[in-house]
Amino acid sequence: MASEMKFAVLIDGDNIAPKYLKSILEEVADNGVATYKRIYSDWTDRIRSGWKKPILEHSVLPVQQYSYTSGKNATDSAMIIDAMDILYTGNVDGFCLVTSDSDFTRLAARLREAGKYVIGIGEAKTPQAFRSACNTFKLLEIISGDEDNETSKVGNEAREAALEITPLKEIKKSIYKIIDENSNKGKDTYIGEIGSKLTNKYPDFDVRNYGCTKLSTLLEDKMSSFNLLRKNTSTMVTIKKEDMTKAEVEEQIIRILKSHGGKCNNMATLNEGLKNWNKNFSAKKFGYSKFATFIQTFSDIVEVNMNEVTLIKKDVEK
């Protein structure tokens, strides 16, 4: 994303704490330039007094919106109207919607339909619907370094659940798939492509959510299944292979099929046999996300028909 992108930053002052304002604007600055900086609330309410100092320090325009009716959120309406006005009359490339309220889900979707890049920023309590409606979603607790101490100390799965972020297991599965698809096309996989595809697939993907500052660190420290090979200014990513070669796997495939009369009617039987031979066996270790795709690479010794695998190289000893 180009650094010169122009953003309209619209902040829901009813659902965001003043302590986050500096971090919000710094996050936007990492992506482009904030040409509009507006925050919406009923500023006559004394509980909003904490906003005065940070608003003045960061030159943010406070937009007054009276609460006309009890129980109705007039701030939402004012922010939505302004966003649509800016969409049609303002010279911006994207919007940064700062809120933890799902009421802005449709607005985010509408802005994206108009071709604008939408950054969502909110607390961990932000509903998934709004997160998914944005191009990318950032957690305030993470970008500000204000993550709860107890949350930061728990295990990965508990922390992922507390922050409601995409689990690392799912991220890892997607990386396998990216590398596998490139491998099938004879292409190498570089870390930039992985980062781009993960962000497109998971709007809330951010390496900082997992305690890292770079994607390379995430792959090296949090996922032991990948190799990073640096080539000049680029970094290629491959899947680590365990202490087994493809030739050794081929020998075992022949052995297993012969033990079943030369044919396995269910591919899962063959997969299980290989795992019994080596508990670390996985087609993913050889760059394939699916076992069936991996087996098809042994076309000189087997024939694959749907879920059935037949040995065609008869003259090999067990």
Side-chain angles (χ1 to χ4, degrees), residues 248-260:
E248 290 172 329
V249 174
E250 179 177 306
E251 290 178 5
Q252 295 305 315
I253 291 173
I254 293 169
R255 178 187 63 79
I256 295 167
L257 288 174
K258 283 195 171 186
S259 69
H260 286 80

Side-chain angles (χ1 to χ4, degrees), residues 39-257:
I39 183 166
Y40 303 78
S41 191
D42 181 357
W43 304 110
T44 63
D45 193 327
R46 291 183 179 179
I47 65 173
R48 307 289 177 228
S49 61
W51 276 106
K52 183 177 180 180
K53 184 178 178 181
I55 283 176
L56 291 173
E57 286 179 348
H58 298 286
S59 189
V60 178
L61 176 66
V63 179
Q64 171 62 31
Q65 184 58 53
Y66 292 102
S67 299
Y68 298 111
T69 307
S70 178
K72 299 292 184 180
N73 197 335
T75 297
D76 289 9
S77 299
M79 189 166 152
I80 291 170
I81 291 171
D82 265 12
M84 297 310 294
D85 283 346
I86 293 170
L87 174 64
Y88 290 117
T89 63
N91 181 26
V92 297
D93 304 298
F95 287 78
C96 178
L97 304 179
V98 187
T99 181
S100 299
D101 191 341
S102 63
D103 288 349
F104 293 97
T105 300
R106 183 67 190 101
L107 173 62
R110 176 65 185 86
L111 295 173
R112 287 187 66 180
E113 288 171 1
K116 302 302 180 182
Y117 191 87
V118 179
I119 300 173
I121 300 180
E123 295 176 318
K125 65 182 179 180
T126 306
Q128 187 61 46
F130 176 70
R131 299 184 187 206
S132 299
C134 303
N135 289 96
T136 185
F137 178 82
K138 307 295 181 181
L139 284 168
L140 279 167
E141 293 91 341
I142 299 297
I143 67 173
S144 66
D146 194 44
E147 184 180 0
D148 181 83
N149 286 333
E150 293 304 314
T151 302
S152 63
K153 292 177 183 177
V154 298
N156 286 338
E157 292 186 9
R159 184 171 177 276
E160 289 165 359
L163 296 175
E164 295 189 30
I165 55 178
T166 304
L168 267 178
K169 286 183 179 179
E170 188 172 339
I171 297 295
K172 185 176 179 180
K173 184 178 179 181
S174 292
I175 295 173
Y176 274 130
K177 185 176 180 181
I178 293 168
I179 297 174
D180 184 28
E181 290 176 347
N182 280 346
S183 178
N184 290 340
K185 297 175 183 176
K187 292 172 53 182
D188 291 330
T189 302
Y190 290 90
I191 199 165
E193 178 185 359
I194 289 176
S196 178
K197 287 187 175 180
L198 289 177
T199 301
N200 289 339
K201 186 172 184 179
Y202 308 107
D204 68 347
F205 176 73
D206 187 327
V207 295
R208 291 172 294 182
N209 292 348
Y210 309 97
C212 301
T213 57
K214 298 186 296 184
L215 180 55
S216 59
T217 305
L218 179 69
L219 295 177
E220 290 178 322
D221 294 354
K222 303 288 185 178
M223 302 179 185
S224 59
S225 302
F226 303 105
N227 282 316
L228 270 63
L229 308 174
R230 290 173 175 82
K231 291 185 174 181
N232 297 324
T233 58
S234 301
T235 301
M236 189 171 74
V237 183
T238 61
I239 299 172
K240 283 184 180 178
K241 297 180 181 180
E242 296 296 335
D243 295 328
M244 68 184 90
T245 65
K246 195 171 180 182
E248 290 172 329
V249 174
E250 179 177 306
E251 290 178 5
Q252 295 305 315
I253 291 173
I254 293 169
R255 178 187 63 79
I256 295 167
L257 288 174

